[in-house]
Amino acid sequence: ESHIQYERVGADVTMKCGSMDWDAAVTWTANGTDINESRLNGSYLILKNVDLSQSGQYSCYEGSSWHLKYQTYLRVGTPPTEPVLMCRSNNYPKGFYCSWHLPTPTYIPNSFNISVIHGTKDMVCEKDAIPKNRCHIRYLQLFSTVKYKVTLTVTNALGKNFTTLTFDEFAIVKPDPPESVMAKPVPNNPRRLEVSWQNPSSWPDPESFPLKFFLRYRPLILDQWQHVELSDGTSHTITDAYAGKEYIIQVAAKDNDIGTWSDWSVAVHATPWTEEPKHLTTEAQITETTSASTSSFMAPPTTKICDKGAVVGS
Amino acid sequence: MAAADSPSAALRRRDLCSRGIRLAGKMRADVIDLLDAYVEQQGLDASASVAAVEGVPLAAVERWDEQTGTQRLLENLAAYRAFRALLAQMLEEQREQLGEADAGLGRALAAVLLQVSAFAYHLEELLRLESRGIPGEEEEEDGPPPPPRLSLFEQKLRGLGVLRELAQWALRSVRDLRQLAKPSPATGVAPGLVESP
């Protein structure tokens, strides 16, 4: 007889040797290693205050014939704590997804069940293959004042727990960050940077559901961000940049009317355009150039190797 | 509706749509402010769920993206006419219960009522532009049937339901009008009402 036995961390566990009498002579092994007789009470194996390391295969053999009389796989673990559940719509108005995790591991298999109710209607949450702890719900109705109620129940051999979220259709609308953020200097403008980006590709209908944007930028040498909110368009020219200083720039997005701001986009760096340095025509330099006139061309000491400004974008 | 949309009519529609979007956006902001004030002054719980109130048009809609432009406008118009009557009724009840004690709330209610009326007229203009028949004013003049005599608390709850749905409708109207203002892929001109899903 072989099966899996689940026990809580800290529990006291008694294992019988199958149908053998209490006073029968037996040998117990754990993962193939004999267990000291001090752990036995007659033919019963006693494990006190078990911990995770005691998970394993336990086998009991009849004393003389070494006949396997009992075998079990002990899984030591914990009942599930309250799961953490998050629901969000990053592709409004198509639908929303819910994802979940357990704040603490249980060390044994868990199963999750999610129910989504809108008013009196049960909605289907289509599970994603990957990641496993996530599923999608399609909005059947829009502009509803009725709240959604999502309940996630987690169960394992040692117990059960659940959590519930109730929310409005709009409260969970949070777009993905803007994509393809680019920043580049504006020739002949030492204080300008041109920033452009695209709507997140997951946002299905920017025309009917336009996004507004939040741009933040600062020179690397400072900690204080400057911000500007833009209600339409996907580009902006910074006009107050410090000349010659490298800038870090990020953009966030939000539905024009509802929901919350996205996370910040990937950061991009750019340095405003700077004047090409003039050649210094000093005496020393003239004599130096004439005496070396036969050698190959030497770059004047003041020329910058790299370009005036790098076009950077992710 | 004219077989092909004349550019001037399309531009006129687009202009009406964008003005309507701003009107609805402003109305929504004011309704949300009014809702907050109403909840507070009526001693209600902001998270209270209010069952669908008879006669209050629900903004919730299924397969919204499949609606034609005409459907959008007609449903919007019917809703705002109903809200016009409901808000007028709320205003009357407000005065009966509180007299001048709460003039602030009354003024805010009256201001929203004005915007609702203006928006209803705006929708009619859009329908006229499309030489669409406008549903008879007479049939809807008296609005929803007067509700049975409600208790004070029931009146307050109904008022909450009205304002909540109105806030949702204002948002839906913004989205509807943006759909209408969308240039059709082929001509790049805002499509006639029939085609625009």
Side-chain angles (χ1 to χ4, degrees), chain A residues 35-310:
Chain A
I35 295 176
N36 193 298
E37 290 206 352
S38 63
R39 294 269 187 115
L40 303 189
N41 172 1
S43 63
Y44 296 176
L45 171 62
I46 310 293
L47 300 174
K48 290 278 185 192
N49 187 20
V50 290
D51 63 35
L52 297 173
S53 66
Q54 287 175 284
S55 288
Q57 188 172 61
Y58 289 81
S59 311
C60 177
Y61 300 90
E62 191 181 8
S64 52
S65 67
W66 274 94
H67 212 132
L68 175 64
K69 299 301 280 181
Y70 179 71
Q71 192 168 68
T72 186
Y73 198 94
L74 176 64
R75 298 281 310 259
V76 180
T78 59
T81 50
E82 186 177 328
V84 175
L85 175 63
M86 185 278 288
C87 294
R88 174 182 166 210
S89 172
N90 63 341
N91 61 349
Y92 188 80
K94 278 194 174 167
F96 62 92
Y97 70 84
C98 292
S99 60
W100 56 84
H101 70 272
L102 287 181
T104 51
T106 63
Y107 308 100
I108 58 174
N110 303 295
S111 69
F112 294 90
N113 178 278
I114 190 163
S115 95
V116 181
I117 296 172
H118 183 222
T120 55
K121 204 177 276 185
D122 241 296
M123 303 184 73
V124 172
C125 196
E126 289 148 22
K127 289 231 169 126
D128 290 3
I130 301 169
K132 270 200 321 164
N133 59 336
R134 181 160 143 159
C135 65
H136 274 85
I137 302 100
R138 227 162 35 81
Y139 280 126
L140 298 180
Q141 250 185 5
L142 287 184
F143 314 113
S144 171
T145 53
V146 175
K147 292 183 187 289
Y148 288 82
K149 184 177 177 186
V150 180
T151 301
L152 176 76
T153 305
V154 52
T155 310
N156 69 21
L158 298 174
K160 183 180 206 175
N161 215 317
F162 73 92
T163 192
T164 296
L165 276 186
T166 304
F167 50 83
D168 282 315
E169 172 187 327
F170 309 118
I172 60 168
V173 174
K174 175 181 177 180
D176 289 329
E179 294 168 6
S180 314
V181 183
M182 308 256 287
K184 57 185 180 182
V186 180
N188 304 311
N189 282 276
R191 303 209 56 196
R192 288 185 174 228
L193 284 169
E194 232 171 59
V195 188
S196 64
W197 58 90
Q198 283 171 9
N199 286 307
S201 46
S202 50
W203 195 255
D205 184 0
E207 261 187 281
S208 297
F209 299 83
L211 295 170
K212 60 183 176 183
F213 302 98
F214 216 99
L215 183 71
R216 72 176 183 182
Y217 58 94
R218 65 175 170 83
L220 285 183
I221 54 171
L222 295 181
D223 293 334
Q224 188 62 34
W225 290 96
Q226 285 169 268
H227 295 89
V228 57
E229 184 169 330
L230 306 150
S231 54
D232 53 44
T234 55
S235 66
H236 174 70
T237 301
I238 295 169
T239 54
D240 58 352
Y242 290 114
K245 295 291 178 249
E246 183 180 1
Y247 269 75
I248 178 171
I249 298 141
Q250 288 178 294
V251 193
K254 180 183 173 298
D255 177 271
N256 215 43
D257 306 292
I258 57 175
T260 57
W261 287 98
S262 72
D263 296 335
W264 290 106
S265 69
V266 170
V268 294
H269 293 240
T271 304
W273 175 89
T274 47
E275 184 83 42
E276 193 56 46
K278 298 271 183 312
H279 299 303
L280 298 176
T281 53
T282 56
E283 193 105 20
Q285 211 166 14
I286 292 165
T287 45
E288 190 184 300
T289 356
T290 44
S291 63
S293 59
T294 49
S295 67
S296 65
F297 171 70
M298 264 196 17
T302 52
T303 302
K304 276 197 181 163
I305 301 301
C306 64
D307 282 349
K308 288 191 251 341

Side-chain angles (χ1 to χ4, degrees), chain B residues 26-37:
Chain B
K26 169 73 167 70
M27 178 167 53
R28 178 168 184 252
D30 290 352
V31 170
I32 288 171
D33 290 343
L34 172 58
L35 195 48
D36 293 342

Side-chain angles (χ1 to χ4, degrees), chain B residues 28 31-32 35 162-172:
Chain B
R28 178 168 184 252
V31 170
I32 288 171
L35 195 48
V162 169
L163 294 177
R164 272 187 183 160
E165 282 303 334
L166 179 53
Q168 297 294 83
W169 262 104
L171 183 62
R172 176 174 162 180

